């Protein structure tokens, strides 16, 4: 890929000002908007559903990267696709219908991706990678923003890059969790191409400067 993709996570946004928060990210030079959907079952937190995606879609032309941290996500693929998601990614741990769910995402006209939590081996992705437009390594435990980066995630990105290059060179490698200006170079050197960051960007005194540094 020719450039790093920066995807601010709206989990760190002010939900009461979502429209202006999205515009702030556009002005800062963000490429995508990362939307974490949590159901309080797969993870111990609840965020939002398809209506939030639909409303965000009305405010921006940026790519909407929708990460489903919900049980049996296949139930809700039609709603999120119709709401305007560009990418829909699912946790491989959340369902025994991973392949079927990825196919459903594609059938609904979206790009699809598989996500692994910190305790899930990269090798788990082998059987799905050929189908994926995106493969996401969680560098914190899914459920809450603001967690500390798990250092072993760097090795997982290196391993994933080898697997990706072997099976599906067009698949984008994404990382999410605890990414800051201080560690972004490390994960990019390991092979991460799309960077999800929440508080590091939304909480920055100068988001444009932060985004620019992360893209370097």
């Amino acid at each position: 890929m020719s450039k790093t993709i920066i995807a601010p996570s709206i989990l760190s946004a002010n939900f009461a000002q979502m429209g202006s928060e999205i515009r702030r990210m556009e002005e800062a030079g963000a490429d995508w908007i990362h939307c974490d959907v949590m159901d309080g079952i797969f993870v111990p937190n609840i965020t939002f559903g398809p209506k939030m995606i639909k409303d965000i879609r009305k405010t921006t032309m940026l790519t909407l990267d929708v990460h489903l941290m919900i049980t049996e996500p296949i139930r809700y693929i039609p709603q999120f696709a119709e709401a305007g998601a560009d990418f829909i990614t699912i946790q491989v741990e959340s369902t025994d219908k991973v392949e079927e769910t990825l196919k459903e995402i594609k059938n609904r006209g979206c790009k699809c991706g598989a996500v692994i939590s910190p305790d899930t081996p990269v090798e788990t992705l082998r059987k799905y990678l050929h189908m994926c437009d995106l493969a996401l390594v969680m560098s914190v435990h899914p459920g809450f923003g603001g967690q500390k980066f798990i250092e072993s995630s760097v090795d997982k990105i290196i391993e994933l890059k080898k697997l990706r290059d072997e099976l599906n060179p067009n698949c984008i490698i994404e990382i999410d969790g605890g990414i800051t200006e201080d560690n972004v170079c490390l994960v990019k050197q390991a092979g991460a191409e799309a960077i999800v960051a929440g508080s590091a960007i939304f909480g920055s005194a100068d988001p444009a400067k932060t985004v620019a540094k992360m893209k370097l």
Side-chain angles (χ1 to χ4, degrees):
M1 295 179 64
S2 59
K3 70 182 183 69
T4 300
I5 295 164
I6 302 299
S9 171
I10 62 167
L11 201 60
S12 296
N14 179 349
F15 281 24
Q17 304 291 334
M18 188 58 75
S20 61
E21 289 282 69
I22 298 295
R23 286 191 292 276
R24 192 160 67 96
M25 293 301 104
E26 285 183 323
E27 292 166 1
D31 303 289
W32 296 359
I33 297 295
H34 187 82
C35 307
D36 288 311
V37 177
M38 304 179 192
D39 64 358
I41 301 171
F42 178 71
V43 292
N45 193 12
I46 298 173
T47 54
F48 47 79
K51 187 177 186 301
M52 177 72 86
I53 306 304
K54 185 177 181 179
D55 289 349
I56 291 173
R57 178 78 288 165
K58 294 173 184 175
T59 71
T60 185
M61 294 300 293
L62 292 181
T63 295
L64 297 187
D65 175 25
V66 178
H67 176 190
L68 301 184
M69 294 183 233
I70 64 177
T71 56
E72 295 303 325
I74 196 168
R75 298 172 298 158
Y76 294 101
I77 300 306
Q79 291 95 315
F80 283 103
E82 187 177 336
D86 294 295
F87 284 84
I88 300 178
T89 60
I90 61 166
Q91 295 279 156
V92 298
E93 310 89 358
S94 69
T95 178
D96 58 2
K97 301 174 183 174
V98 174
E99 189 168 344
E100 186 180 341
T101 306
L102 293 173
K103 286 180 180 176
E104 174 69 0
I105 294 168
K106 290 278 199 181
N107 288 341
R108 294 289 174 170
C110 300
K111 294 182 178 179
C112 72
V115 187
I116 53 173
S117 292
D119 297 332
T120 302
V122 170
E123 187 64 23
T124 306
L125 292 173
R126 178 177 289 276
K127 65 179 85 168
Y128 311 119
L129 211 54
H130 69 284
M131 304 175 62
C132 292
D133 301 291
L134 187 71
L136 169 56
V137 170
M138 291 297 296
S139 43
V140 298
H141 292 282
F144 293 93
Q147 296 180 62
K148 190 176 185 300
F149 178 76
I150 297 172
E151 298 290 341
S152 59
S153 303
V154 175
D155 293 332
K156 293 182 81 169
I157 289 288
I158 293 171
E159 185 181 352
L160 176 57
K161 185 177 186 301
K162 290 178 182 176
L163 194 63
R164 186 279 307 269
D165 291 349
E166 172 193 343
L167 299 175
N168 183 2
N170 293 320
C171 179
I172 299 168
I173 297 175
E174 184 173 44
I175 191 159
D176 178 8
I179 303 298
T180 67
E181 290 181 36
D182 295 328
N183 59 24
V184 68
C185 286
L186 197 60
V187 297
K188 285 165 61 177
Q189 288 168 3
E193 299 155 327
I195 308 296
V196 178
S199 53
I201 299 177
F202 278 100
S204 172
D206 189 342
K209 186 176 180 181
T210 299
V211 169
K213 281 186 176 181
M214 287 186 167
K215 285 188 178 188
L216 284 177

